[in-house]
Amino acid sequence: MFDLKAAGFTDPLLVATTDGVGTKLKLAIETGYHDTVGIDLVAMCVNDLVVQGAEPLLFLDYYATGKLDVAAGRAIVAGIAEGCRQAGCALIGGETAEMPGLYADGDYDLAGFSVGAVERSQVVTGREVVAGDVVIGLKSSGVHSNGFSLVRRILAEDGINLSDDAPFAPGTTVGHALLIPTRIYVKSCLAALKAVTVKAFAHITGGGLTENIPRVLPNGLGAILDGTTWQAPAVMGWLASRGVALTEMARVFNCGLGMVIVVAEADAPAALKTLTEAGETATIVGRIEAARGDERVHIQNLGAAWRA
């Protein structure tokens, strides 16, 4: 149970999300490094809440496996708890299910469920976005939790082991570098909401930049982004170097931008200041213009984001 009144809301709307970690779990299973996927699980849910202007309140998890590995389970739940701390929400329960015969030895799956609230008058809808507004990008921590089927295919085709030294992250292995958890943007985005009028948020997940940003824009409008304005994590350049076309990079991966924020041009300096003070690497990465036919997101110089 959760007391909304005690949380300080007067006329709240509830917002709920559910998500998983996807095939990134295969890397955790193969490396035996389970500490961070719980953070990914929370991040994929709470980042989707804050884009509506909602504050995450509570979280529940579902952990399913063939036979419970106590050490792995403990590490996973510790990661979930850490994700909830980063998001400022309560872990109020969960379910652990043993299903012999359904999962191979050592395999498991995770699902997360989060509920947040936003005052009715403060819901972020994207309806007020107009041409001339500014697009601010928040730097990602890496691949986050999308596109790992393609990542794993690249590793297999190139004969790269997860225990090999990572060419894009000196001093660590491929497995550990790829398991860097999804960044949780909740506290910085909530701070931005208090500082300026945020017109839209886009959490860059499956579908990348080209499919997630249009979801928060009114019909007839599109975003023009410039890859020279941000610096992506080195893993993005490595993926592109393995033969992933730029159009596929923009459709599958976050390309270095885990969250996108749309504000009026006059509000951009205050938004950037607030986001930077909250610990984000935030830059103006583009503008809102009339859509170019069916192309709702046009990215100039995308490769420059990881060649800088």
Side-chain angles (χ1 to χ4, degrees):
M1 296 183 181
F2 194 94
D3 187 344
L4 277 171
K5 186 176 181 181
F9 290 91
T10 56
D11 184 24
L13 293 174
L14 291 179
V15 184
T17 61
T18 183
D19 212 334
V21 183
T23 60
K24 187 176 186 177
L25 291 178
K26 294 292 290 182
L27 276 67
I29 292 166
E30 291 172 20
T31 60
Y33 187 62
H34 307 282
D35 303 63
T36 59
V37 289
I39 300 174
D40 285 300
L41 183 67
V42 176
M44 296 303 289
C45 293
V46 297
N47 284 343
D48 278 353
L49 283 180
V50 78
V51 299
Q52 309 294 322
E55 174 188 348
L57 302 175
L58 57 94
F59 189 87
L60 298 98
D61 68 276
Y62 176 75
Y63 169 40
T65 185
K67 180 176 174 57
L68 179 63
D69 180 325
V70 175
R74 185 182 292 116
I76 291 164
V77 173
I80 293 170
E82 172 58 26
C84 288
R85 279 190 287 270
Q86 292 182 23
C89 67
L91 177 59
I92 67 168
E95 169 70 4
T96 300
E98 285 187 302
M99 293 183 280
L102 187 59
Y103 293 90
D105 289 346
D107 280 354
Y108 62 85
D109 198 10
L110 296 175
F113 311 86
S114 191
V115 176
V118 57
E119 296 289 1
R120 190 182 304 270
S121 62
Q122 297 173 4
V123 177
V124 178
T125 65
R127 294 175 189 150
E128 297 178 359
V129 175
V130 297
D133 285 342
V134 168
V135 180
I136 295 173
L138 304 187
K139 188 174 183 178
S140 67
S141 55
V143 184
H144 284 185
S145 297
N146 299 102
F148 273 89
S149 295
L150 179 53
V151 170
R152 290 169 53 242
R153 191 180 81 190
I154 291 170
L155 295 176
E157 290 179 350
D158 287 2
I160 298 173
N161 295 316
L162 295 175
S163 58
D164 292 344
D165 291 337
F168 53 89
T172 189
T173 63
V174 171
H176 278 77
L178 289 173
L179 282 168
I180 291 173
T182 306
R183 186 165 180 82
I184 293 176
Y185 298 100
V186 168
K187 292 182 179 178
S188 57
C189 287
L190 290 176
L193 284 167
K194 293 179 180 178
V196 300
T197 298
V198 174
K199 296 188 177 185
F201 289 109
H203 181 203
I204 309 305
T205 55
L209 295 168
T210 54
E211 293 183 11
N212 282 285
I213 295 175
R215 295 175 183 171
V216 301
L217 301 180
N219 290 335
L221 293 180
I224 310 297
L225 308 182
D226 186 349
T228 64
T229 59
W230 78 88
Q231 185 169 2
V235 65
M236 296 298 164
W238 178 77
L239 288 167
S241 75
R242 308 324 295 165
V244 183
L246 291 181
T247 53
E248 189 76 349
M249 289 290 298
R251 190 187 68 82
V252 175
F253 301 112
N254 62 59
C255 294
L257 302 178
M259 183 73 75
V260 164
I261 305 173
V262 180
V263 299
E265 186 172 17
D267 286 332
L272 288 170
K273 181 175 184 293
T274 298
L275 291 162
T276 300
E277 290 175 348
E280 302 296 348
T281 300
T283 53
I284 295 175
V285 298
R287 303 179 70 83
I288 303 299
E289 297 183 2
R292 303 183 179 190
D294 293 333
E295 186 182 32
R296 302 287 302 281
V297 177
H298 178 71
I299 309 175
Q300 302 169 338
N301 310 307
L302 177 58
W306 44 80
R307 288 196 295 266

